[in-house]
Amino acid sequence: MALNRLDLNLLHVFDTIYREGSLTRAARALHLTQPAVSHSLSRLRDHFNDPLFTRQGNQMVPTPLARRFLESMRPGLTQIQGAVNQFHAFDPATQRKTYSLGLRDILESTFLPRLMKRLNAYPELEIASQRVARREMETQLAAGKLDFAVDVLLPVSNQTAHELLRRDRLVVLAREGHPLASGMLDMNGYLSARHVLVSSRAEGPGIEDFELSRLGVQRNIRLRCQHYYAACRVVEETDLLLTMPEAYARIIAERARIRIMDPPADLPSIDVHLYWHKAYEREPALIWFREQLRAVSGSPGAGNPDQELS
């Protein structure tokens, strides 16, 4: 396996197949034909005497040897790419690039419309948004399968950088004509109503319930569901109340018969953070895109005139 017998261009192909999980997507990212990528993979398999990737459904899954090789190779490849990138500025108007972004569904609704509007002037850029399990986020960022992730504050290693993008305060939703929607919502009214709790977990309190518990009170949960959109539809047709992030509530309220009210107590805000891996933070294309995410987030210092709480 002497290095002088290995075309270093093949390492870039290997890295891209690993990141994309598909020969078709790798070919598109590399601006090559799929047969050319398949031929490169065949050469790599011969060199390592290992299949490197096996097909499982529509995915190319790396073998244990491929995973070990990536862990050893990536620091050196990243250093080479960083050295090259120092001499090549990124031009979003002319260079083709696909950015992979980890977003949960509610953040897709608040981020993507503003982001795509901002990127309208750059037709060569594509965005691939995907939901990634939080326990896998750092691994996906380290492997280059994700360029960035946006989520609540999470515990991460010192290899993952993050910054606060925005704070989203909680508000209370009720249907139009709800008896409690005619004036200011007080604690007695809030506790007298029945509520919807949105959570991906089967049990346990919501973020608002921790603060209510600290105040020595408890609300009556009538429905627990997984998605805010479904919860809003329920609120529109019933007397249930829903406590949720304001940014998404404003979007829903544009097309639904609901009222948005201030909560009866100071509830904790939801801090939304941007995550990326430090190994790639000097790449010009990623530096540029990080600025775009800051600009559409309403983050402090991003120069965004729209300073809504979202």
Side-chain angles (χ1 to χ4, degrees), residues 30 45 56 81 92 98 100 135 170 195 205 216 230 247 253 265 270 274 283 294 301 306:
L30 292 165
R45 284 168 166 167
Q56 295 184 14
Q81 289 173 336
T98 298
S100 55
R135 65 179 180 277
L170 296 175
H195 297 257
I270 298 175
L274 176 66
E283 293 189 18
R294 288 169 175 158
D306 185 2

PDB file of all heavy atoms in Angstrom, residues 30 45 56 81 92 98 100 135 170 195 205 216 230 247 253 265 270 274 283 294 301 306:
ATOM      1  N   LEU A  30     -18.724  16.092  -7.141  1.00  0.00           N
ATOM      2  CA  LEU A  30     -17.384  16.160  -7.711  1.00  0.00           C
ATOM      3  C   LEU A  30     -17.372  16.667  -9.155  1.00  0.00           C
ATOM      4  O   LEU A  30     -16.301  16.837  -9.744  1.00  0.00           O
ATOM      5  CB  LEU A  30     -16.745  14.761  -7.684  1.00  0.00           C
ATOM      6  CG  LEU A  30     -16.405  14.199  -6.294  1.00  0.00           C
ATOM      7  CD1 LEU A  30     -16.146  12.706  -6.374  1.00  0.00           C
ATOM      8  CD2 LEU A  30     -15.208  14.923  -5.704  1.00  0.00           C
ATOM      9  N   ARG A  45     -10.614   0.085  -4.017  1.00  0.00           N
ATOM     10  CA  ARG A  45     -10.859  -1.265  -3.495  1.00  0.00           C
ATOM     11  C   ARG A  45      -9.680  -2.190  -3.786  1.00  0.00           C
ATOM     12  O   ARG A  45      -9.276  -2.997  -2.930  1.00  0.00           O
ATOM     13  CB  ARG A  45     -12.145  -1.809  -4.111  1.00  0.00           C
ATOM     14  CG  ARG A  45     -13.408  -1.210  -3.508  1.00  0.00           C
ATOM     15  CD  ARG A  45     -14.645  -1.543  -4.317  1.00  0.00           C
ATOM     16  NE  ARG A  45     -15.861  -1.242  -3.561  1.00  0.00           N
ATOM     17  CZ  ARG A  45     -17.073  -1.202  -4.106  1.00  0.00           C
ATOM     18  NH1 ARG A  45     -17.233  -1.423  -5.418  1.00  0.00           N
ATOM     19  NH2 ARG A  45     -18.120  -0.933  -3.358  1.00  0.00           N
ATOM     20  N   GLN A  56     -26.526  -0.759   0.915  1.00  0.00           N
ATOM     21  CA  GLN A  56     -27.666  -1.141   1.753  1.00  0.00           C
ATOM     22  C   GLN A  56     -28.827  -0.246   1.372  1.00  0.00           C
ATOM     23  O   GLN A  56     -28.887   0.914   1.784  1.00  0.00           O
ATOM     24  CB  GLN A  56     -27.333  -1.012   3.234  1.00  0.00           C
ATOM     25  CG  GLN A  56     -26.251  -1.972   3.716  1.00  0.00           C
ATOM     26  CD  GLN A  56     -26.009  -1.878   5.208  1.00  0.00           C
ATOM     27  OE1 GLN A  56     -26.792  -1.300   5.948  1.00  0.00           O
ATOM     28  NE2 GLN A  56     -24.900  -2.462   5.665  1.00  0.00           N
ATOM     29  N   GLN A  81      -6.453  20.606   2.163  1.00  0.00           N
ATOM     30  CA  GLN A  81      -7.521  21.440   1.613  1.00  0.00           C
ATOM     31  C   GLN A  81      -7.446  22.857   2.166  1.00  0.00           C
ATOM     32  O   GLN A  81      -7.655  23.831   1.442  1.00  0.00           O
ATOM     33  CB  GLN A  81      -8.880  20.820   1.947  1.00  0.00           C
ATOM     34  CG  GLN A  81      -9.166  19.544   1.180  1.00  0.00           C
ATOM     35  CD  GLN A  81     -10.443  18.859   1.642  1.00  0.00           C
ATOM     36  OE1 GLN A  81     -10.892  19.047   2.777  1.00  0.00           O
ATOM     37  NE2 GLN A  81     -11.033  18.058   0.776  1.00  0.00           N
ATOM     38  N   PRO A  92     -19.565  32.803  -4.562  1.00  0.00           N
ATOM     39  CA  PRO A  92     -20.866  32.135  -4.576  1.00  0.00           C
ATOM     40  C   PRO A  92     -21.662  32.393  -5.859  1.00  0.00           C
ATOM     41  O   PRO A  92     -22.590  31.646  -6.165  1.00  0.00           O
ATOM     42  CB  PRO A  92     -21.580  32.722  -3.354  1.00  0.00           C
ATOM     43  CG  PRO A  92     -20.926  34.046  -3.147  1.00  0.00           C
ATOM     44  CD  PRO A  92     -19.488  33.853  -3.530  1.00  0.00           C
ATOM     45  N   THR A  98     -23.010  22.514  -2.787  1.00  0.00           N
ATOM     46  CA  THR A  98     -24.158  22.027  -2.029  1.00  0.00           C
ATOM     47  C   THR A  98     -23.818  22.068  -0.550  1.00  0.00           C
ATOM     48  O   THR A  98     -22.821  21.470  -0.120  1.00  0.00           O
ATOM     49  CB  THR A  98     -24.530  20.589  -2.433  1.00  0.00           C
ATOM     50  OG1 THR A  98     -24.903  20.561  -3.810  1.00  0.00           O
ATOM     51  CG2 THR A  98     -25.717  20.086  -1.597  1.00  0.00           C
ATOM     52  N   SER A 100     -24.874  21.108   3.258  1.00  0.00           N
ATOM     53  CA  SER A 100     -25.718  20.206   4.046  1.00  0.00           C
ATOM     54  C   SER A 100     -25.951  20.838   5.421  1.00  0.00           C
ATOM     55  O   SER A 100     -25.001  21.238   6.103  1.00  0.00           O
ATOM     56  CB  SER A 100     -25.057  18.839   4.189  1.00  0.00           C
ATOM     57  OG  SER A 100     -23.754  18.958   4.723  1.00  0.00           O
ATOM     58  N   ARG A 135     -27.631  12.726  19.028  1.00  0.00           N
ATOM     59  CA  ARG A 135     -26.470  11.920  19.431  1.00  0.00           C
ATOM     60  C   ARG A 135     -25.508  11.683  18.270  1.00  0.00           C
ATOM     61  O   ARG A 135     -24.350  11.286  18.480  1.00  0.00           O
ATOM     62  CB  ARG A 135     -26.937  10.585  19.999  1.00  0.00           C
ATOM     63  CG  ARG A 135     -27.643   9.686  18.991  1.00  0.00           C
ATOM     64  CD  ARG A 135     -28.066   8.371  19.615  1.00  0.00           C
ATOM     65  NE  ARG A 135     -28.747   7.514  18.665  1.00  0.00           N
ATOM     66  CZ  ARG A 135     -30.029   7.587  18.359  1.00  0.00           C
ATOM     67  NH1 ARG A 135     -30.804   8.487  18.971  1.00  0.00           N
ATOM     68  NH2 ARG A 135     -30.577   6.774  17.474  1.00  0.00           N
ATOM     69  N   LEU A 170     -41.142  32.037  24.479  1.00  0.00           N
ATOM     70  CA  LEU A 170     -42.352  31.224  24.432  1.00  0.00           C
ATOM     71  C   LEU A 170     -43.587  32.112  24.510  1.00  0.00           C
ATOM     72  O   LEU A 170     -43.612  33.097  25.252  1.00  0.00           O
ATOM     73  CB  LEU A 170     -42.364  30.210  25.578  1.00  0.00           C
ATOM     74  CG  LEU A 170     -41.258  29.145  25.545  1.00  0.00           C
ATOM     75  CD1 LEU A 170     -41.316  28.281  26.794  1.00  0.00           C
ATOM     76  CD2 LEU A 170     -41.368  28.284  24.299  1.00  0.00           C
ATOM     77  N   HIS A 195     -54.280  21.880  28.210  1.00  0.00           N
ATOM     78  CA  HIS A 195     -53.169  22.261  27.349  1.00  0.00           C
ATOM     79  C   HIS A 195     -52.731  21.138  26.419  1.00  0.00           C
ATOM     80  O   HIS A 195     -52.959  19.952  26.686  1.00  0.00           O
ATOM     81  CB  HIS A 195     -51.966  22.684  28.208  1.00  0.00           C
ATOM     82  CG  HIS A 195     -52.224  23.891  29.040  1.00  0.00           C
ATOM     83  ND1 HIS A 195     -51.743  25.138  28.714  1.00  0.00           N
ATOM     84  CD2 HIS A 195     -52.928  24.041  30.206  1.00  0.00           C
ATOM     85  CE1 HIS A 195     -52.123  26.007  29.639  1.00  0.00           C
ATOM     86  NE2 HIS A 195     -52.844  25.365  30.554  1.00  0.00           N
ATOM     87  N   PRO A 205     -41.932  16.332  31.340  1.00  0.00           N
ATOM     88  CA  PRO A 205     -42.432  17.705  31.211  1.00  0.00           C
ATOM     89  C   PRO A 205     -41.807  18.438  30.032  1.00  0.00           C
ATOM     90  O   PRO A 205     -40.764  18.050  29.513  1.00  0.00           O
ATOM     91  CB  PRO A 205     -42.014  18.346  32.539  1.00  0.00           C
ATOM     92  CG  PRO A 205     -40.760  17.599  32.918  1.00  0.00           C
ATOM     93  CD  PRO A 205     -40.982  16.183  32.453  1.00  0.00           C
ATOM     94  N   GLY A 216     -44.388  26.523  41.800  1.00  0.00           N
ATOM     95  CA  GLY A 216     -45.281  25.758  42.666  1.00  0.00           C
ATOM     96  C   GLY A 216     -46.638  25.467  42.056  1.00  0.00           C
ATOM     97  O   GLY A 216     -47.599  25.184  42.797  1.00  0.00           O
ATOM     98  N   ALA A 230     -49.428  20.123  14.018  1.00  0.00           N
ATOM     99  CA  ALA A 230     -50.604  19.353  14.431  1.00  0.00           C
ATOM    100  C   ALA A 230     -51.235  19.966  15.680  1.00  0.00           C
ATOM    101  O   ALA A 230     -52.462  20.059  15.790  1.00  0.00           O
ATOM    102  CB  ALA A 230     -50.216  17.899  14.687  1.00  0.00           C
ATOM    103  N   ALA A 247     -41.410  32.366  17.059  1.00  0.00           N
ATOM    104  CA  ALA A 247     -41.115  32.493  15.632  1.00  0.00           C
ATOM    105  C   ALA A 247     -42.038  31.618  14.798  1.00  0.00           C
ATOM    106  O   ALA A 247     -42.627  32.068  13.807  1.00  0.00           O
ATOM    107  CB  ALA A 247     -39.660  32.131  15.357  1.00  0.00           C
ATOM    108  N   ALA A 253     -49.771  31.625  12.631  1.00  0.00           N
ATOM    109  CA  ALA A 253     -50.866  32.581  12.835  1.00  0.00           C
ATOM    110  C   ALA A 253     -51.242  33.312  11.552  1.00  0.00           C
ATOM    111  O   ALA A 253     -52.367  33.823  11.429  1.00  0.00           O
ATOM    112  CB  ALA A 253     -50.487  33.585  13.916  1.00  0.00           C
ATOM    113  N   ALA A 265     -46.295  34.134  33.021  1.00  0.00           N
ATOM    114  CA  ALA A 265     -45.080  34.194  33.839  1.00  0.00           C
ATOM    115  C   ALA A 265     -43.886  34.273  32.901  1.00  0.00           C
ATOM    116  O   ALA A 265     -43.996  34.001  31.705  1.00  0.00           O
ATOM    117  CB  ALA A 265     -44.977  32.953  34.734  1.00  0.00           C
ATOM    118  N   ILE A 270     -35.781  29.846  24.449  1.00  0.00           N
ATOM    119  CA  ILE A 270     -35.091  28.732  23.802  1.00  0.00           C
ATOM    120  C   ILE A 270     -33.909  29.304  23.030  1.00  0.00           C
ATOM    121  O   ILE A 270     -34.084  30.078  22.093  1.00  0.00           O
ATOM    122  CB  ILE A 270     -36.041  27.976  22.860  1.00  0.00           C
ATOM    123  CG1 ILE A 270     -37.203  27.387  23.665  1.00  0.00           C
ATOM    124  CG2 ILE A 270     -35.300  26.877  22.111  1.00  0.00           C
ATOM    125  CD1 ILE A 270     -38.262  26.721  22.816  1.00  0.00           C
ATOM    126  N   LEU A 274     -25.759  27.635  16.418  1.00  0.00           N
ATOM    127  CA  LEU A 274     -25.190  27.137  15.172  1.00  0.00           C
ATOM    128  C   LEU A 274     -23.955  26.310  15.522  1.00  0.00           C
ATOM    129  O   LEU A 274     -23.102  26.764  16.289  1.00  0.00           O
ATOM    130  CB  LEU A 274     -24.805  28.307  14.258  1.00  0.00           C
ATOM    131  CG  LEU A 274     -24.098  27.949  12.941  1.00  0.00           C
ATOM    132  CD1 LEU A 274     -25.038  27.172  12.024  1.00  0.00           C
ATOM    133  CD2 LEU A 274     -23.598  29.213  12.251  1.00  0.00           C
ATOM    134  N   GLU A 283     -12.437  27.029   5.792  1.00  0.00           N
ATOM    135  CA  GLU A 283     -12.747  26.890   4.375  1.00  0.00           C
ATOM    136  C   GLU A 283     -13.566  28.092   3.916  1.00  0.00           C
ATOM    137  O   GLU A 283     -14.610  28.396   4.509  1.00  0.00           O
ATOM    138  CB  GLU A 283     -13.518  25.593   4.115  1.00  0.00           C
ATOM    139  CG  GLU A 283     -12.686  24.342   4.368  1.00  0.00           C
ATOM    140  CD  GLU A 283     -13.388  23.090   3.904  1.00  0.00           C
ATOM    141  OE1 GLU A 283     -14.339  23.207   3.099  1.00  0.00           O
ATOM    142  OE2 GLU A 283     -12.986  22.002   4.339  1.00  0.00           O
ATOM    143  N   ARG A 294     -25.936  33.530   9.867  1.00  0.00           N
ATOM    144  CA  ARG A 294     -26.018  34.569  10.893  1.00  0.00           C
ATOM    145  C   ARG A 294     -26.963  35.683  10.455  1.00  0.00           C
ATOM    146  O   ARG A 294     -27.753  36.207  11.244  1.00  0.00           O
ATOM    147  CB  ARG A 294     -24.628  35.151  11.160  1.00  0.00           C
ATOM    148  CG  ARG A 294     -23.684  34.241  11.918  1.00  0.00           C
ATOM    149  CD  ARG A 294     -22.278  34.793  11.897  1.00  0.00           C
ATOM    150  NE  ARG A 294     -21.346  34.015  12.699  1.00  0.00           N
ATOM    151  CZ  ARG A 294     -20.038  34.015  12.524  1.00  0.00           C
ATOM    152  NH1 ARG A 294     -19.511  34.767  11.555  1.00  0.00           N
ATOM    153  NH2 ARG A 294     -19.255  33.294  13.291  1.00  0.00           N
ATOM    154  N   GLY A 301     -25.304  41.468  16.094  1.00  0.00           N
ATOM    155  CA  GLY A 301     -24.115  41.791  15.320  1.00  0.00           C
ATOM    156  C   GLY A 301     -24.123  41.271  13.914  1.00  0.00           C
ATOM    157  O   GLY A 301     -23.147  41.405  13.196  1.00  0.00           O
ATOM    158  N   ASP A 306     -34.099  43.059  10.815  1.00  0.00           N
ATOM    159  CA  ASP A 306     -35.318  42.445  11.326  1.00  0.00           C
ATOM    160  C   ASP A 306     -34.995  41.806  12.674  1.00  0.00           C
ATOM    161  O   ASP A 306     -34.600  40.657  12.772  1.00  0.00           O
ATOM    162  CB  ASP A 306     -35.800  41.378  10.341  1.00  0.00           C
ATOM    163  CG  ASP A 306     -37.144  40.789  10.758  1.00  0.00           C
ATOM    164  OD1 ASP A 306     -37.699  41.232  11.781  1.00  0.00           O
ATOM    165  OD2 ASP A 306     -37.621  39.895  10.055  1.00  0.00           O
TER     166      ASP A 306
END
